[in-house]
């Protein structure tokens, strides 16, 4: 034990000396040494840091002064069929091989190659399967696969389901609603009759575990690959019904998702439907804030259209590391030359892109008339809430609540179990990848770091990552739902 302590002390001394003598030391080396130090310090088998963070969150997570009471959520909803990805592909008589990304899946070979491509990265992704008959055969095989589980699916339905667990909220959910999905929904959720349809839309969720192998491919972390042949959600057919229902429901918050589903329908359709979506969203009263939940996309033109036409008319967005980088790539923003993140996304680079989004398409520019003032970013190791000053309150609680639910839901526990989670976030980082920048040190006892750049405030907290996750689907939606639940929008004075 004393040897471990001595090595930890020496390593800490080296890190300190290098930082002082060479501030430009490559950040990957600093992160490696810091991670090694944390490993040595926590090597006795305790979960001290994780327990400290979980306890600190409980003190920080307080309800906002003004809470939402009626939330309308739409418009993508389906039934998720969750199966072992490798197991299902083997049952379909598909052999392992090389990975290759495909924007649209047209065959089982495309499915296999795209699944392997993302499995090897340990990254989540979603694709449209263009062949209806083949998809239906695969869906039947998935439903019949041993251990297959059926859940509420679709970002909107998952967010609505999460919000409905809070008794003070009334939740309206609009989307393609088949009989199985209606049966699975929380009975407190209000469903417009116009949303009901005779058949369900199925999405297949191919999950894999950290370290799982298939052929020569190994998953570095647990995640999932999603695909479907879903025209109703793909065309956002419930959008007009959703907006029309708001007049009677009178929500004080609107949550919208499903734009990513249109990507696989072809440019002609998404161009038309995106224009119609903007018109429909413009009918929502200005005093009702809109949160847009983004999801995996591959078409840069489509993402760029969303960035130019949709982001300026919503108040808040939620997205993960892949979606944030793709947003920058589509709009030629900061660090858009990166093909992908190298491990845990660098906090400074993430901060640069978040500031760019709020400046280019949001209200960070004082002369802008855009409505976007909040971005909730989540990745496996940490979360950041970036908000334009003067528009949002209670964001320390909001970012903490989002991180807390990520750790508990992935492990299937009501509260954080410190023995089942691990801290993977960098405890030391820079607030930008370029100068000027400041170095921030995060303490487990004070697990929310706050900094400002121009008129944007950033709130970062680590995630306590579940060591053996039971289910990864819907974590991003749960994170955004909890973050919104604890957020308060500041009423703006009219002059």
């Amino acid at each position: 034990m004393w040897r471990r302590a001595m090595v930890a002390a020496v390593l800490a001394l080296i890190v300190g000396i290098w930082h002082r003598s060479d501030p430009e030391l490559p950040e990957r080396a600093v992160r490696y040494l810091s991670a090694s130090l944390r490993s040595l310090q926590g090597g006795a088998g305790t979960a001290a840091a994780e327990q400290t963070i979980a306890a600190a969150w409980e003190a920080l997570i307080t309800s906002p002064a003004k809470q939402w009471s009626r939330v309308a959520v739409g418009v993508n909803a389906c039934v998720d069929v969750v199966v072992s990805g490798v197991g299902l592909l083997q049952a379909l008589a598909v052999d392992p091989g090389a990975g290759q990304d495909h924007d649209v899946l047209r065959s089982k070979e495309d499915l296999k190659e795209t699944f392997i491509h993302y499995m090897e990265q340990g990254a989540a992704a979603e694709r449209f399967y263009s062949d209806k008959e083949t998809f239906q055969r695969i869906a039947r095989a998935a439903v019949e696969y041993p251990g297959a589980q059926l859940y509420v699916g679709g970002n909107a339905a998952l967010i609505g389901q999460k919000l409905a667990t809070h008794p003070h909220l009334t939740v309206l959910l609009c989307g393609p609603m088949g009989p199985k999905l209606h049966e699975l929904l929380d009975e407190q959720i209000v469903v417009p009759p116009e949303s009901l349809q005779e058949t369900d839309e199925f999405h297949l969720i191919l999950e894999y575990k950290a370290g799982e192998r298939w052929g020569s491919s190994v998953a570095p972390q647990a995640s999932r690959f999603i695909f479907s042949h879903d025209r109703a959600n793909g065309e956002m057919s419930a959008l007009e019904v959703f907006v029309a229902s708001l007049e009677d429901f009178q929500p004080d918050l609107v949550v919208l998702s499903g734009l990513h589903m249109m990507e696989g329908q072809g440019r002609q359709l998404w161009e038309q439907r995106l224009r119609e979506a903007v018109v429909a969203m413009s009918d929502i009263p200005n005093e009702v804030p809109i949160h847009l939940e983004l999801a995996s996309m591959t078409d840069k033109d489509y993402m760029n259209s969303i960035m130019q036409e949709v982001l300026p008319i919503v108040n808040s967005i939620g997205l993960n590391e892949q979606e944030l980088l793709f947003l920058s790539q589509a709009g030629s923003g900061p660090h858009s030359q990166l093909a992908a993140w190298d491990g845990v996304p660098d906090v400074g680079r993430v901060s640069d892109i978040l500031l760019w989004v709020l400046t280019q398409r949001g209200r960070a520019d004082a002369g802008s008339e855009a409505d976007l003032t909040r971005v909730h970013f989540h990745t496996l190791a940490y979360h950041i809430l970036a908000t334009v000053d003067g528009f949002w309150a209670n964001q320390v609680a909001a970012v903490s609540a989002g991180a807390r639910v990520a750790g508990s839901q992935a492990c299937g526990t009501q509260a954080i179990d410190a023995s089942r989670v691990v801290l993977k976030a960098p405890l030391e980082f820079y607030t930008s990848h370029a100068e000027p920048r400041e170095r921030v040190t995060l303490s487990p006892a004070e697990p929310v770091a706050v900094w400002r750049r121009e008129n944007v405030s950033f709130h970062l907290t680590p995630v306590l990552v579940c060591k053996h996750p039971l289910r990864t689907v819907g974590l991003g939606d749960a994170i955004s739902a909890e973050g919104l639940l604890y957020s308060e929008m500041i009423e703006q004075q009219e002059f």
Side-chain angles (χ1 to χ4, degrees):
M1 186 68 186
W2 64 269
R3 290 190 184 94
R4 186 186 298 276
M6 181 176 290
V7 173
V10 171
L11 190 53
L13 181 62
I14 292 171
V15 171
I17 292 171
W18 278 15
H19 269 187
R20 281 190 287 271
S21 64
D22 185 4
E24 298 305 316
L25 180 71
E27 291 175 33
R28 184 181 297 181
V30 174
R31 290 200 301 272
Y32 174 79
L33 289 168
S34 298
S36 301
L37 177 59
R38 289 204 305 276
S39 174
L40 286 165
Q41 289 172 329
T46 65
E50 288 81 1
Q51 188 65 59
T52 300
I53 289 171
W57 281 340
E58 294 305 316
L60 292 173
I61 299 173
T62 56
S63 297
K66 184 180 179 183
Q67 299 183 32
W68 316 111
S69 60
R70 301 175 70 80
V71 183
V73 188
V75 292
N76 61 325
C78 63
V79 175
D80 279 345
V81 183
V82 182
V83 296
S84 161
V86 172
L88 178 63
L89 289 170
Q90 288 175 331
L92 294 171
V94 174
D95 295 322
Q100 180 181 344
D101 196 9
H102 295 274
D103 292 350
V104 176
L105 309 180
R106 295 179 172 83
S107 65
K108 287 194 291 185
E109 189 70 12
D110 287 356
L111 169 62
K112 175 196 76 173
E113 291 176 351
T114 308
F115 173 80
I116 291 173
H117 174 81
Y118 286 100
M119 177 184 172
E120 290 176 340
Q121 296 181 33
E126 185 166 350
R127 293 291 181 270
F128 180 77
Y129 201 109
S130 63
D131 186 332
K132 181 179 179 179
E133 291 184 3
T134 303
F135 175 80
Q136 288 176 338
R137 287 196 295 271
I138 296 173
R140 283 195 293 273
V143 170
E144 295 169 2
Y145 187 81
Q149 296 174 299
L150 274 61
Y151 296 100
V152 170
N155 308 85
L158 286 164
I159 291 173
Q161 190 85 328
K162 188 65 182 177
L163 292 172
T165 63
H166 298 274
H168 70 274
L169 274 182
T170 302
V171 179
L172 177 136
L173 174 63
C174 188
M177 198 73 60
K180 185 61 180 178
L181 176 57
H182 203 193
E183 174 190 325
L184 292 170
L185 284 177
D186 189 297
E187 61 183 16
Q188 300 299 319
I189 292 177
V190 177
V191 177
E194 297 84 355
S195 288
L196 300 177
Q197 59 183 43
E198 294 181 0
T199 58
D200 284 286
E201 304 291 348
F202 288 99
H203 287 208
L204 306 189
I205 318 295
L206 308 191
E207 290 198 321
Y208 49 85
K209 300 175 182 177
E212 186 168 359
R213 293 178 176 272
W214 191 32
S216 61
S217 302
V218 183
Q221 61 192 31
S223 193
R224 76 276 189 248
F225 180 76
I226 306 173
F227 68 105
S228 66
H229 179 91
D230 181 349
R231 293 289 183 185
N233 283 303
E235 296 173 4
M236 292 188 76
S237 60
L239 179 63
E240 284 76 13
V241 170
F242 177 56
V243 174
S245 67
L246 300 182
E247 186 173 354
D248 289 335
F249 184 70
Q250 292 292 302
D252 43 24
L253 172 66
V254 167
V255 180
L256 179 67
S257 67
L259 289 177
H260 63 287
M261 295 295 299
M262 293 199 293
E263 183 183 50
Q265 306 301 312
R267 186 182 188 108
Q268 185 174 357
L269 184 140
W270 65 247
E271 281 186 337
Q272 177 184 339
R273 285 299 283 156
L274 198 60
R275 285 193 297 268
E276 292 167 353
V278 170
V279 171
M281 292 165 65
S282 299
D283 290 338
I284 299 173
N286 290 334
E287 63 270 17
V288 179
I290 304 172
H291 172 85
L292 174 67
E293 192 68 15
L294 292 173
S296 176
M297 285 178 271
T298 61
D299 187 323
K300 288 184 180 180
D301 289 341
Y302 184 49
M303 178 60 98
N304 199 38
S305 294
I306 290 173
M307 186 164 50
Q308 294 185 36
E309 299 176 38
V310 181
L311 295 198
I313 64 172
V314 301
N315 304 88
S316 168
I317 61 173
L319 75 180
N320 67 18
E321 75 278 9
Q322 286 178 280
E323 294 141 18
L324 183 72
L325 182 58
F326 190 62
L327 197 63
S328 186
Q329 290 168 342
S332 301
H335 315 299
S336 56
Q337 76 281 0
L338 291 176
W341 298 108
D342 181 12
V344 175
D346 174 69
V347 174
R349 286 189 170 97
V350 169
S351 176
D352 292 342
I353 302 174
L354 292 173
L355 180 63
W356 171 78
V357 170
L358 286 169
T359 301
Q360 293 295 310
R361 299 300 167 193
R363 200 68 170 268
D365 183 342
S368 173
E369 295 184 357
D371 294 319
L372 181 63
T373 51
R374 177 182 183 272
V375 182
H376 192 167
F377 168 81
H378 48 86
T379 188
L380 181 71
Y382 64 88
H383 297 169
I384 297 177
L385 258 171
T387 55
V388 179
D389 293 341
F391 287 87
W392 294 89
N394 211 44
Q395 295 306 279
V396 169
V399 75
S400 301
R404 180 179 65 178
V405 79
S408 61
Q409 184 165 308
C411 284
T413 56
Q414 289 296 314
I416 294 288
D417 181 343
S419 68
R420 298 174 64 179
V421 295
V422 62
L423 177 64
K424 292 189 175 182
L427 296 185
E428 215 170 59
F429 55 85
Y430 288 104
T431 58
S432 174
H433 192 65
E435 300 293 348
R437 60 183 183 174
E438 61 178 300
R439 192 166 66 222
V440 174
T441 301
L442 196 63
S443 162
E446 298 178 356
V448 179
V450 183
W451 68 94
R452 294 183 73 247
R453 296 179 63 183
E454 300 177 17
N455 64 334
V456 174
S457 293
F458 297 81
H459 296 77
L460 177 148
T461 198
V463 173
L464 299 179
V465 181
C466 186
K467 297 175 185 176
H468 305 289
L470 299 179
R471 187 168 181 245
T472 59
V473 174
L475 278 184
D477 303 306
I479 290 162
S480 287
E482 288 291 287
L484 286 168
L485 185 72
Y486 284 91
S487 291
E488 179 182 357
M489 194 168 190
I490 300 171
E491 188 173 340
Q492 301 299 302
Q493 299 295 322
E494 298 290 339
F495 295 101

